[in-house]
Amino acid sequence: MKFATLNDGSLDGRLVIVSRDGRHAAALPQIAASLHEALQRWDEVHDALQVGYDALNAGTAAGAFAFDPQACAAPLPRSPQWLDGSAFHNHGRLMEQAFNTPPIPDFDTIPVMYQGASDDFLGPHDDVPLPSEADGIDFEGEFGVVCGPVPMAATPEQALAAVRLVVQINDWSLRALGAREMKSGFGFLQAKPSTAFAPLAVTPDELGDAWQGGRVHLNLHVQWNGERFGEPNGHEMNFGFGELVAHAARTRRLTAGTIVGSGTVSNVARSAGSACIAERRVIEKIDQGEIRTGFMRFGDRVRMQARFTDGRDGPFGAIDQRVVKA
């Protein structure tokens, strides 16, 4: 199934199911008014939502209308919790060089993760208001999962079974602030403004063979001001989502609607490009001896869209955003 949330002025927005081809949508308020509600009552409403989705794809859904991604908020405009990992070791090692920080202990065997703000997510076409270009404005293309309830000390297999939806993310970063906050030992705060999401949250079966081992085997195509930036594939995650979710739940239970991110998608092969500016900058320093790429300026745009390896558009739709002066 594919879900989107229309921005109707309410805190949680209006839930719609979206057809597999992304052309049509329908609301099912008698089943669930919001995606947050659907996740809270997943076992109760899943089958009815599936019936509605099948009818929409068959062209028989009552009240169907043309789907407009421009009208979308984030699939979950707010969530109980947002946790972001760094599951691509290639990116993590490059960032150690970029920020001149010592290696993270047990980085290869224990996932690293920070807890971000989850009260004000951005929609796929929202402008991104930020206070200063001097903060080092950067995009970060990621994949993520939305969980149902996860018990404390769940195994990776139990954690993966709790995944309800898969999402595509732009985890905005302010690099000038991040360097200081990383050294503080308390993690990110000011360096992580509101995170943005592609319009569609999808059940894992919508990915077909591209969902394997708790990993998204799709290319994440990133463009900055209309120019190609990279298309790294999500299959190189060193920890799958089962392991990431289990790590988050080691000493506490997770409630339905918790979102767990992969961290910046990154591939070892330089030809794949990058999904964030900071990674390109450190690669330039390593390969060419100097940094040549600056960070974003007000008015710049970034576009991200996952695609299957055969070139077909992925199931999430696109993130297309402009950075503006707050």
Side-chain angles (χ1 to χ4, degrees):
M1 289 182 281
K2 294 186 175 184
F3 300 96
T5 294
L6 302 184
N7 190 352
D8 65 353
S10 66
L11 289 174
D12 293 310
R14 178 190 180 205
L15 174 66
V16 295
I17 53 172
V18 180
S19 60
R20 184 166 286 115
D21 63 10
R23 295 182 179 181
H24 300 95
L28 298 172
Q30 72 279 14
I31 301 173
S34 69
L35 186 55
H36 177 79
E37 180 189 349
L39 290 162
Q40 297 296 316
R41 301 170 51 225
W42 189 257
D43 291 341
E44 176 186 344
V45 304
H46 175 274
D47 290 351
L49 290 170
Q50 185 68 57
V51 169
Y53 182 63
D54 292 342
L56 184 62
N57 286 316
T60 60
F65 55 91
F67 176 61
D68 179 12
Q70 297 275 349
C72 288
L76 282 170
R78 56 177 181 161
S79 77
Q81 187 164 212
W82 156 233
L83 303 166
D84 198 19
S86 182
F88 293 85
H89 285 173
N90 182 64
H91 177 76
R93 297 303 187 204
L94 289 170
M95 290 302 98
E96 287 174 359
Q97 296 183 60
F99 292 112
N100 193 29
T101 56
I104 297 172
D106 304 312
F107 184 64
D108 293 332
T109 56
I110 301 175
V112 296
M113 188 173 288
Y114 78 91
Q115 186 176 47
S118 60
D119 59 324
D120 186 31
F121 291 137
L122 297 174
H125 297 280
D126 289 345
D127 282 345
V128 183
L130 294 169
S132 174
E133 292 177 348
D135 290 338
I137 302 168
D138 198 356
F139 48 81
E140 287 195 56
E142 306 187 11
F143 296 114
V145 295
V146 184
C147 302
V150 183
M152 184 190 304
T155 66
E157 293 75 21
Q158 291 170 327
L160 190 59
V163 168
R164 301 288 183 256
L165 302 168
V166 186
V167 292
Q168 179 190 308
I169 298 168
N170 183 3
D171 184 38
W172 288 96
S173 292
L174 300 175
R175 299 299 187 184
L177 304 179
R180 174 178 54 80
E181 291 185 332
M182 287 175 71
K183 294 175 182 177
S184 73
F186 276 79
F188 296 121
L189 179 64
Q190 295 176 348
K192 289 292 185 179
S194 295
T195 301
F197 290 78
L200 299 173
V202 307
T203 50
D205 60 289
E206 293 289 337
L207 277 69
D209 291 342
W211 178 249
Q212 297 182 38
R215 294 164 173 82
V216 179
H217 291 236
L218 297 176
N219 296 325
L220 185 55
H221 287 251
V222 181
Q223 293 179 316
W224 180 10
N225 291 332
E227 296 185 359
R228 181 256 185 191
F229 198 83
E231 55 283 321
N233 190 287
H235 79 277
E236 285 190 26
M237 281 178 74
N238 295 84
F239 297 106
F241 280 111
E243 293 163 295
L244 292 183
V245 174
H247 174 77
R250 183 177 180 273
T251 59
R252 55 178 171 170
R253 62 190 176 95
L254 306 181
T255 60
T258 294
I259 304 171
V260 177
S262 67
T264 306
V265 180
S266 180
N267 292 171
V268 172
R270 296 281 204 261
S271 59
S274 298
C276 74
I277 300 171
E279 183 173 296
R280 173 182 279 190
R281 283 165 58 91
V282 72
I283 289 173
E284 289 173 343
K285 184 175 182 180
I286 293 168
D287 292 354
Q288 303 171 36
E290 62 178 356
I291 294 172
R292 300 180 178 182
T293 302
F295 290 110
M296 297 186 80
R297 308 292 297 272
F298 295 138
D300 282 4
R301 302 193 73 93
V302 62
R303 189 179 194 278
M304 301 178 179
Q305 184 168 20
R307 292 178 184 163
F308 292 95
T309 53
D310 62 7
R312 291 177 294 132
D313 286 345
F316 309 110
I319 298 172
D320 191 345
Q321 295 184 287
R322 180 183 60 159
V323 176
V324 298
K325 172 74 173 176

